[in-house]
């Protein structure tokens, strides 16, 4: 401040013919002391007289200070009543921006409300989501720390503990707080307090050797005198915080090194500073062992590496700016009122000066543009610093990051080495729970903050491709989640194909079976007049072979990719072909029974041996199946269906039956006819005759029934193409059983034993 005032007084263009002076009061980090000093300034007397001005012409035009927010609040309440300009260089409390309560308060330090923005940016950059807060146990620091807590929780950061510390705390109270800090899994601890609370706390923390924690000094703590206490260096070394970028004031270094006690004989601190810096005593002091007297020839430049330099205090530029703003405000007021020649600084009213100070917009000698916003805050920005105590006894603030102002602001790290407090060699983690990798989702723990969660693997058809995902997304219908559930893969399409071994084999058997039945039909037609063919109802045999032919070919419609039309046709042809086949067998069986039970040649019941009766039976039985199938197809026909539930990595393309009742009626009716045919054939198995088919029909129906009964559990226990294969296998097996049991013996007689197939062969064998 002295340097700034000297510079202004030497500037002929700023406040010409006016000399600025100053009075300095030490508030001693005490609100009452600060208020007392403010009242002394207002009253103009050594002893404060509230509401009285002891000097007729007061020359006080403004106040620079205070450093501590609680002191500034107390002083600003009083100065605000008189609209007396007050510019603080260190009070960052957001509450002071309230112009209703503090109308004359301005500041050159950044508002704590902005601190939370920079704080959140750093926390998010290092992915620190679990922190602890130590706040001073007073109204103002608690107010600001609560604002910080609200802002960081809105940014997704959780508070592990929120503890209050006080200058009046006993050692046991401090130990209980340290126990909470040590026990907590939060690595980052925010110091949101001032020097009076911090000194006793750090004293106990150092004695207890608190390690494993990264201290973040919020607000003005990072630049407070706490770092000048060497006994705390071991604990505080590596503390990080945010402050104004270091700005070197032109000429300030030369001024610092030019200070001498002889230039400031009334300065009560000058001699003490000289003695402490050079380890000497002034001649009027009592010497002690090993001490020597100060000569006045000591050089301050030797203290540069010990922290006495132009970059030592971040507050230097803030105080410098405050003095210059106040001076320019006075200068602007005088310039506007140049028509009043008798106007002197002694006649300036502070409440009038305040309006000009608020509207100041200048650029200082360091190139910074200075102006206040509507809340009396100076627009500026912060940088992130790391306080380092070096082995050689030197200390320094190292800039390790800045915020790059873009549409999406982000932190840019510098190349400077960071000393991490807590004994860490790199940026530590500070999380309540480890991050959930892709493929997992976060499941909040009951009764705990949102930062505490368990990682749950996504379900079978879901995935997450981000870290710390709160939910899993469903894969598209044609895709499935991979094993790690961090992405989706295309599903395989599954259906019984002609190209695969199983499908090709069944198709081959189907074709061969159809050719076999067709060949037998041709043999029967060629030998139509032989006893074997004629004795077994020639027309029914032809129709039966034709039905079996379609039963074999029907299996081909179950192979290949299903579409709706094939789904309808396969069930329709399957149902009618097999019912027609069984109806023919039923007709043959009934003909055998009727033939062997008619012993009277001229009986009226011989009319039942007419082929028209059996043809009608086949037609009626088949017509009933046609009606069932038609009703099924009209009500709820089969359709193509893609099953993506049964197998996660596969889409099963199959035919949905449409109506389970319709399918059951079709199969049930076929089963009923087969059972009826089996029962009649079984009862007539002992009838005599060389060409009696009853036994053969019994065996064929036994095979037919066994195949389809075993088909039911096999069909229900399989899925996909294997379920279709089971159905095809049942069709081919039952068809082959009919061919083998009914027609192969006849073909054996016709081809291999023709002597048994002659007209003179007797019908009955005794």
């Amino acid at each position: 401040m002295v340097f700034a005032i000297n510079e202004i007084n030497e500037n002929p263009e700023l406040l010409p013919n006016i000399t600025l002076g100053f009075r300095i009061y030490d508030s001693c980090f005490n609100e009452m002391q600060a208020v007392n000093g403010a009242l002394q300034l207002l009253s103009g007397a050594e002893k404060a007289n509230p509401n009285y001005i002891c000097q007729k012409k007061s020359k006080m035009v403004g106040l620079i200070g205070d450093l501590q927010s609680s002191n500034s609040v107390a002083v600003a309440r009083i100065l605000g009543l008189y609209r007396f300009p007050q510019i603080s260089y260190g009070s960052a409390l957001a509450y002071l921006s309230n112009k209703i309560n503090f109308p004359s308060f301005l500041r050159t330090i950044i508002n704590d409300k902005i601190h939370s923005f920079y704080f959140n940016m750093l926390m998010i950059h290092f992915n620190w989501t679990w922190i602890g807060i130590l706040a001073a146990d007073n109204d103002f620091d608690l107010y600001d720390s609560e604002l910080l807590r609200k802002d960081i929780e809105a940014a997704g950061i959780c508070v592990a503990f929120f503890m209050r510390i006080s200058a009046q705390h006993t050692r046991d109270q401090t130990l209980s707080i340290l126990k909470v800090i040590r026990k907590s899994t939060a690595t980052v601890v925010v110091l949101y307090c001032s020097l009076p609370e911090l000194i006793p706390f750090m004293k106990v923390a150092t004695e207890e050797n608190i390690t494993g924690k990264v201290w973040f000094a919020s607000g003005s703590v990072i630049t407070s005198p706490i770092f000048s206490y060497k006994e705390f260096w071991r604990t505080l070394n590596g503390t990080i915080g945010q402050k104004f970028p270091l700005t070197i004031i032109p000429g300030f270094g030369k001024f610092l090194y030019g200070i001498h006690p002889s230039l400031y004989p009334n300065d009560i601190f000058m001699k003490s500073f000289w003695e402490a810096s050079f380890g000497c005593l002034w001649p009027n002091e009592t010497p002690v062992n090993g001490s020597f007297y100060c000569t006045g020839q000591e050089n301050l430049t030797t203290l540069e590496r010990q922290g006495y330099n132009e970059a030592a205090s971040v507050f230097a530029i803030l105080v410098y700016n405050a003095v210059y703003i106040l001076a320019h405000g006075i200068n602007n007021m005088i310039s506007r009122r140049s028509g009043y020649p008798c106007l002197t600084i002694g006649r300036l009213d502070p409440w009038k000066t305040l309006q000009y100070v608020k509207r100041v917009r200048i650029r200082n000698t360091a190139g910074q543009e200075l102006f206040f916003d509507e809340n009396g805050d100076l627009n500026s920005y912060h940088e992130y610093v790391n306080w380092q105590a070096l082995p050689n006894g030197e200390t320094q603030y190292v800039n390790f990051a800045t915020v790059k102002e873009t549409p999406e602001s982000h932190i840019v790290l510098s190349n400077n080495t960071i000393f991490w407090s807590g004994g860490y060699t790199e940026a530590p983690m500070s999380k309540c729970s480890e991050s959930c990798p892709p493929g997992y989702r976060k499941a909040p723990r009951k009764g705990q903050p949102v930062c505490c969660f368990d990682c749950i693997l996504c379900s079978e058809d879901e995935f997450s491709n981000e870290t710390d995902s709160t939910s899993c997304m469903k894969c598209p219908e044609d895709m499935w989640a991979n094993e790690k559930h961090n992405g989706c893969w295309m599903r395989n399409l599954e259906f019984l194909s002609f190209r695969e071994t199983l499908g090709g084999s069944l198709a081959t058997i189907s074709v061969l079976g159809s050719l076999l039945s067709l060949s037998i039909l041709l043999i029967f037609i060629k030998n139509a007049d032989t006893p074997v063919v004629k004795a077994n109802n020639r027309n029914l045999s032809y129709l039966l072979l034709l039905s079996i032919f379609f039963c074999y070919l029907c299996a081909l419609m179950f192979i290949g990719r299903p579409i709706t039309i094939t789904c309808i046709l396969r069930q329709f042809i399957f149902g009618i072909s097999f019912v027609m086949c069984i109806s023919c067998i039923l007709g043959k069986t009934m003909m055998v029974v009727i033939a062997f039970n008619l012993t009277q040649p001229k009986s009226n019941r011989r009319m039942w041996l007419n082929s028209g009766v059996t043809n009608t039976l086949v037609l009626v039985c088949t017509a009933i199946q046609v009606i069932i199938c038609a009703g099924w197809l009209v009500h709820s026909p089969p359709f193509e269906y893609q099953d993506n539930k049964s197998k996660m990595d596969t889409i099963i393309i199959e035919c949905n039956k449409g109506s389970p009742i319709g399918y059951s009626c079709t199969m049930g009716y076929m089963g009923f006819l087969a059972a009826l045919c089996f029962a009649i054939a079984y009862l007539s198995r002992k009838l005599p005759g060389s060409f009696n088919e009853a036994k053969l029909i019994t065996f064929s129906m036994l095979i037919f029934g066994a195949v389809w009964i075993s088909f039911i559990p096999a069909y229900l226990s399989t899925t996909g193409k294997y379920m279709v294969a089971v159905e095809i296998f049942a069709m081919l097996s039952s068809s082959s059983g009919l061919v083998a049991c009914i027609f192969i013996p006849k073909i054996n007689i016709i081809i291999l034993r023709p002597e048994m197939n002659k007209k003179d062969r007797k019908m009955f064998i005794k």
Side-chain angles (χ1 to χ4, degrees):
M1 189 179 75
V2 174
F3 169 74
I5 290 178
N6 289 346
E7 206 174 52
I8 293 169
N9 288 335
E10 293 172 1
N11 186 349
E13 297 181 358
L14 184 60
L15 293 177
N17 302 320
I18 293 178
T19 301
L20 292 182
F22 58 87
R23 294 174 67 179
I24 299 177
Y25 289 83
D26 190 357
S27 59
C28 302
F29 296 101
N30 184 281
E31 295 175 25
M32 294 303 299
Q33 189 80 2
V35 170
N36 185 65
L39 292 175
Q40 289 182 47
L41 286 173
L42 290 173
S43 60
E46 292 295 327
K47 185 177 180 180
N49 293 298
N51 295 325
Y52 284 92
I53 299 178
C54 299
Q55 294 180 346
K56 292 183 179 180
K57 296 181 179 180
S58 175
K59 297 182 179 180
M60 293 295 172
V61 292
L63 183 144
I64 308 297
D66 195 355
L67 173 66
Q68 194 170 339
S69 293
S70 57
N71 293 354
S72 290
V73 169
V75 172
R77 290 191 187 278
I78 297 173
L79 298 185
L81 298 174
Y82 304 100
R83 300 302 191 267
F84 195 93
Q86 177 186 358
I87 306 177
S88 172
Y89 55 88
S91 299
L93 184 70
Y95 180 54
L96 286 165
S97 294
N98 188 327
K99 293 299 101 180
I100 296 177
N101 294 330
F102 310 102
S104 64
F105 179 84
L106 309 168
R107 54 184 160 197
T108 54
I109 193 171
I110 198 168
N111 186 339
D112 266 344
K113 188 68 176 176
I114 309 300
H115 276 285
S116 62
F117 169 77
Y118 283 93
F119 176 81
N120 292 344
M121 290 284 291
L122 188 68
M123 297 297 109
I124 293 171
H125 176 80
F126 287 114
N127 203 17
W128 290 337
T129 58
W130 187 238
I131 65 169
I133 298 178
L134 293 180
D137 193 12
N138 60 64
D139 293 342
F140 307 112
D141 283 329
L142 285 177
Y143 173 83
D144 256 14
S145 57
E146 283 293 346
L147 284 180
L148 174 68
R149 181 177 187 172
K150 182 179 179 181
D151 288 341
I152 65 176
E153 287 180 345
I157 303 167
C158 299
V159 178
F161 57 85
F162 188 96
M163 307 292 292
R164 302 180 181 185
I165 60 175
S166 171
Q168 285 74 42
H169 271 179
T170 63
R171 178 180 175 83
D172 289 340
Q173 289 175 310
T174 303
L175 285 175
S176 65
I177 295 174
L178 290 174
K179 183 179 179 181
V180 173
I181 296 174
R182 181 174 283 155
K183 186 178 179 180
S184 174
T185 56
T187 305
V188 178
V189 180
V190 181
L191 301 174
Y192 213 103
C193 43
S194 51
L195 198 63
E197 295 85 17
L198 204 52
I199 290 176
F201 174 80
M202 277 299 163
K203 182 178 180 181
V204 180
T206 302
E207 292 172 356
E208 294 296 316
N209 192 26
I210 294 294
T211 58
K213 303 297 177 182
V214 174
W215 304 104
F216 183 94
S218 183
S220 58
V221 177
I222 190 66
T223 52
S224 70
I226 188 68
F227 296 100
S228 65
Y229 291 77
K230 289 188 176 181
E231 62 267 31
F232 302 153
W233 283 9
R234 179 168 55 88
T235 303
L236 292 174
N237 190 19
T239 298
I240 59 175
Q242 54 200 60
K243 71 176 186 65
F244 280 109
L246 177 63
T247 303
I248 302 300
I249 305 171
F252 185 50
K254 182 179 178 180
F255 172 80
L256 282 179
Y257 299 131
I259 291 174
H260 195 273
S262 61
L263 298 177
Y264 304 97
N266 296 326
D267 192 323
I268 61 175
F269 295 112
M270 186 58 67
K271 289 187 176 182
S272 299
F273 161 71
W274 206 268
E275 291 176 348
S277 299
F278 297 106
C280 60
L281 295 174
W282 291 102
N284 58 346
E285 300 286 342
T286 303
V288 294
N289 294 335
S291 63
F292 57 91
Y293 288 111
C294 301
T295 63
Q297 302 300 315
E298 292 81 7
N299 192 346
L300 288 174
T301 57
T302 60
L303 304 178
E304 180 179 2
R305 297 184 64 84
Q306 298 180 30
Y308 184 78
N309 53 60
E310 57 190 348
S313 174
V314 69
F315 294 112
I317 187 65
L318 302 179
V319 175
Y320 183 81
N321 290 340
V323 174
Y324 259 88
I325 289 173
L326 185 58
H328 275 277
I330 299 170
N331 186 71
N332 292 345
M333 181 177 177
I334 293 175
S335 299
R336 294 286 179 88
R337 305 175 72 178
S338 57
Y340 299 88
C342 298
L343 182 65
T344 63
I345 197 164
R347 299 185 61 182
L348 290 177
D349 295 321
W351 64 271
K352 295 178 181 178
T353 306
L354 176 63
Q355 304 307 316
Y356 289 92
V357 173
K358 286 182 177 181
R359 293 194 291 267
V360 166
R361 192 181 189 103
I362 60 171
R363 191 174 294 275
N364 65 12
T365 57
Q368 292 179 324
E369 187 177 14
L370 309 176
F371 63 93
F372 293 114
D373 62 16
E374 65 276 8
N375 296 318
D377 297 325
L378 197 66
N379 291 327
S380 184
Y381 68 97
H382 271 185
E383 64 181 6
Y384 301 100
V385 295
N386 178 223
W387 183 80
Q388 300 175 357
L390 305 178
N392 60 3
E394 299 177 10
T395 64
Q396 62 181 2
Y397 287 99
V398 175
N399 177 350
F400 70 89
T402 55
V403 175
K404 187 174 182 180
E405 298 293 340
T406 60
E408 294 183 2
S409 300
H410 62 279
I411 287 181
V412 178
L413 295 179
S414 68
N415 294 325
N416 296 326
T417 302
I418 304 176
F419 289 1
W420 294 104
S421 55
Y424 296 101
T425 56
E426 58 183 14
M429 301 299 293
S430 188
K431 293 183 176 182
C432 179
S433 301
E434 289 296 326
S435 295
C436 293
Y440 291 79
R441 65 174 177 84
K442 298 194 296 186
R445 295 175 184 168
K446 189 176 181 180
Q448 296 192 32
V450 294
C451 299
C452 300
F453 50 83
D454 296 314
C455 296
I456 306 298
L457 184 67
C458 292
S459 60
E460 290 184 346
D461 59 341
E462 295 181 336
F463 76 101
S464 66
N465 55 5
E466 296 179 353
T467 302
D468 284 337
S469 178
T470 56
S471 62
C472 297
M473 298 176 287
K474 281 190 173 293
C475 289
E477 291 294 327
D478 59 342
M479 304 182 77
W480 67 288
N482 56 21
E483 292 182 358
K484 295 184 178 179
H485 291 267
N486 57 6
C488 293
W489 291 348
M490 292 299 298
R491 295 193 183 199
N492 299 318
L493 298 181
E494 180 182 297
F495 56 88
L496 190 59
S497 172
F498 288 100
R499 296 181 179 181
E500 59 183 296
T501 303
L502 180 60
S505 301
L506 293 174
T508 302
I509 296 172
S510 175
V511 172
L512 292 176
S514 63
L515 292 176
L516 176 62
S517 60
L518 191 60
S519 300
I520 295 173
L521 177 59
L522 294 176
I523 293 172
F524 267 47
I525 294 174
K526 185 177 180 180
N527 298 275
D529 295 328
T530 60
V532 170
V533 177
K534 291 175 66 176
N536 294 282
N537 198 327
R538 181 170 48 192
N539 293 333
L540 278 182
S541 296
Y542 295 162
L543 189 57
L544 177 58
L545 285 169
L546 188 62
S547 301
I548 294 175
F549 172 76
F550 282 112
C551 288
Y552 273 115
L553 289 182
C554 177
L556 295 177
M557 300 200 69
F558 286 78
I559 305 174
R561 176 164 182 163
I563 57 176
T564 300
I565 186 64
T566 58
C567 291
I568 294 174
L569 289 177
R570 69 164 63 166
Q571 296 299 337
F572 190 81
I573 296 174
F574 162 72
I576 294 176
S577 298
F578 271 85
V579 165
M580 182 182 291
C581 181
I582 298 172
S583 299
C584 292
I585 298 173
L586 179 61
K588 292 171 70 68
T589 307
M590 292 183 66
M591 288 295 293
V592 172
V593 174
I594 293 172
F596 281 95
N597 282 281
L598 293 178
T599 57
Q600 298 178 6
K602 295 184 179 182
S603 173
N604 292 331
R605 289 181 292 177
R606 292 185 65 86
M607 59 175 291
W608 294 104
L609 294 174
N610 190 343
S611 61
V613 175
T614 55
N615 293 339
T616 303
L617 176 65
V618 172
L619 181 61
V620 171
C621 292
T622 306
I624 294 174
Q625 181 74 322
V626 171
I627 294 172
I628 293 174
C629 289
W632 176 16
L633 298 180
V634 170
H635 178 262
S636 182
F639 58 89
E640 177 190 350
Y641 173 71
Q642 294 186 356
D643 179 11
N644 52 17
K645 303 295 183 183
S646 300
K647 296 181 180 179
M648 295 313 303
D649 60 341
T650 303
I651 296 178
I652 301 174
I653 303 178
E654 59 186 3
C655 287
N656 189 293
K657 296 298 186 292
S659 172
I661 297 176
Y663 181 70
S664 300
C665 290
T666 301
M667 298 297 292
Y669 180 65
M670 186 176 70
F672 167 74
L673 292 181
L676 180 62
C677 188
F678 173 75
I680 296 174
Y682 180 78
L683 294 175
S684 61
R685 71 189 185 282
K686 295 183 179 181
L687 294 175
S690 299
F691 307 115
N692 182 14
E693 290 184 304
K695 292 181 180 179
L696 301 178
I697 293 174
T698 302
F699 281 113
S700 65
M701 287 295 100
L702 187 63
I703 294 173
F704 188 92
V707 167
W708 285 102
I709 290 174
S710 61
F711 157 79
I712 296 174
Y715 183 82
L716 296 176
S717 62
T718 55
T719 57
K721 62 182 180 181
Y722 298 104
M723 183 171 65
V724 178
V726 167
E727 191 169 3
I728 295 174
F729 180 79
M731 293 161 56
L732 297 178
S733 300
S734 57
S735 300
S736 300
L738 295 178
V739 172
C741 292
I742 297 176
F743 293 102
I744 294 300
K746 297 179 178 58
I747 296 298
N748 179 52
I749 293 174
I750 294 172
I751 297 176
L752 300 179
R753 303 178 66 181
E755 69 278 3
M756 295 183 64
N757 191 20
K758 293 182 180 180
K759 292 183 179 179
D760 58 350
R761 182 77 174 174
K762 292 186 178 180
M763 187 69 178
F764 301 104
I765 300 176
K766 296 185 180 179

